[in-house]
Amino acid sequence: MGDYGREVEFGYFLVPNVDDPLIETAKTADRLGLDLLGVQDHPYQKRYVDTWTLLSVIAAGTERIRVFPDVASLPLRQPAVLAKAAASLDLLSGGRVELGLGAGAFWDAIEAYGGPRRAPKDAIGALEEAVSVIRAVWSAGSNLRVDGVHYRLKGAKGGPAPAHPMEIWLGVGGPRALALTGRSADGWLPSSSWASPERLPELNARIDEAAVAAGRRPQEIRRLYNVNGTITDGASEGFLRGPADQWADELTDLAVAYGMDTFVFWGEGDQETQLRRFAEVVPAVRERVALERGE
């Protein structure tokens, strides 16, 4: 399927480098009208501040932008506690939190931090169990039980419930993980660095097939895309490396031809300049997508 017809949204990908003006950048993204702000989660990086702490401070210092981990490192984030933290921040921010979740990567660093080293099969199994645990905790029910190999709830008490129907977005790329996305997740969150446009039809098809088999409509699943590149003043230097008009054309094509509906900008170079240039691209993409759809 090409265009799923979902409303397009736009966000900014924040690298949590302790030496960068993180809070001011987040406030700028909020003032510029972006919809989302994602923060990568690599606790073992010595130059990075903790992702969840940063998201909390950002949520307190902004007014409208939604925040999410892009994506939370499951092996270092116990899912029941992560569910509690996400729901709490959602309540405290007035419903401005979503949850990006990954099965894990950089296993040497995860193991060095005391986390488990998981084979691919186990990593996806743990991810599936984590989604069940998180949704159970968000239900705010009592006597919650999930009998998993990696994660369990044994008569736990859930709650508080999030302020809004919080979404779970999976940053995954393998066949089993894509099938899990189609069955159980609210969104898929790949990056342009490893999921090129040429691969998107095949990967989306795997999600769609699993969604239909589970009795879901493929249109229910958000398709986010971390778009890594540079908005320049000069001529095109390739995909996602060129002037604003090129970016508007390419993001429009990704929406109406490849089914991606939410673009999280991961800019290279001076971050303030790139962020402001991306904000200027956003209305052009909205307009062009609407024209392509005949709206």
Side-chain angles (χ1 to χ4, degrees):
M1 184 173 181
D3 187 1
Y4 294 89
R6 294 179 60 102
E7 179 182 358
V8 289
E9 291 194 320
F10 301 86
Y12 184 73
F13 184 92
L14 188 64
V15 178
N17 192 326
V18 66
D19 294 325
D20 292 345
L22 301 171
I23 306 305
E24 186 54 43
T25 299
K27 290 181 178 180
T28 299
D30 189 36
R31 289 193 297 267
L32 290 172
L34 296 188
D35 303 294
L36 295 162
L37 190 140
V39 178
Q40 62 176 277
D41 186 33
H42 297 290
Y44 33 76
Q45 289 280 9
K46 66 178 183 179
R47 67 184 186 277
Y48 289 177
V49 300
D50 174 67
T51 293
W52 206 261
T53 304
L54 177 57
L55 289 172
S56 300
V57 176
I58 289 172
T62 54
E63 297 180 359
R64 51 168 302 281
I65 201 166
R66 306 192 330 269
V67 301
F68 68 102
D70 190 358
V71 289
S73 178
L74 176 62
L76 293 174
R77 304 280 183 184
Q78 204 275 351
V81 178
L82 178 61
K84 180 90 169 186
S88 299
L89 186 55
D90 195 52
L91 285 163
L92 294 171
S93 66
R96 293 192 290 122
V97 179
E98 311 291 355
L99 182 57
L101 193 59
F106 306 105
W107 293 106
D108 289 344
I110 288 172
E111 189 174 41
Y113 245 57
R117 178 185 290 273
R118 290 175 176 150
K121 180 180 178 180
D122 292 332
I124 300 308
L127 182 61
E128 184 162 14
E129 292 174 8
V131 171
S132 297
V133 167
I134 291 166
R135 293 204 188 281
V137 172
W138 286 350
S139 74
S142 299
N143 195 29
L144 302 174
R145 297 185 181 275
V146 174
D147 187 20
V149 174
H150 306 277
Y151 301 113
R152 299 175 180 86
L153 294 177
K154 298 182 177 181
K157 296 179 181 179
H164 82 293
M166 195 185 306
E167 297 186 356
I168 297 176
W169 304 333
L170 301 185
V172 296
R176 291 183 61 230
L178 292 169
L180 171 61
T181 303
R183 291 194 308 272
S184 303
D186 303 292
W188 177 45
L189 180 51
S191 297
S192 62
S193 57
W194 57 264
S196 64
E198 293 76 20
R199 298 189 63 205
L200 292 177
E202 174 194 353
L203 301 176
N204 271 321
R206 291 184 181 273
I207 295 172
D208 296 350
E209 181 180 356
V212 171
R216 306 179 69 193
R217 298 170 61 248
Q219 292 88 340
E220 297 175 23
I221 301 166
R222 185 189 298 271
R223 320 288 166 131
L224 304 99
Y225 204 27
N226 292 320
V227 286
N228 176 227
T230 307
I231 305 173
T232 69
D233 291 321
S236 173
E237 299 174 13
F239 177 63
L240 297 179
R241 296 181 182 278
D245 195 59
Q246 174 187 327
W247 273 77
D249 283 342
E250 289 177 343
L251 296 188
T252 299
D253 192 48
L254 286 166
V256 299
Y258 292 91
M260 310 310 284
D261 56 69
T262 303
F263 302 103
V264 183
F265 178 55
W266 184 356
E268 298 175 3
D270 181 79
Q271 294 300 291
E272 183 173 357
T273 299
Q274 290 295 302
L275 174 56
R276 292 185 180 279
R277 287 178 174 176
F278 184 69
E280 294 173 357
V281 169
V282 167
V285 178
R286 292 191 194 278
E287 181 179 357
R288 293 181 195 194
V289 170
L291 287 173
E292 290 282 348
R293 291 173 173 173
E295 298 173 355

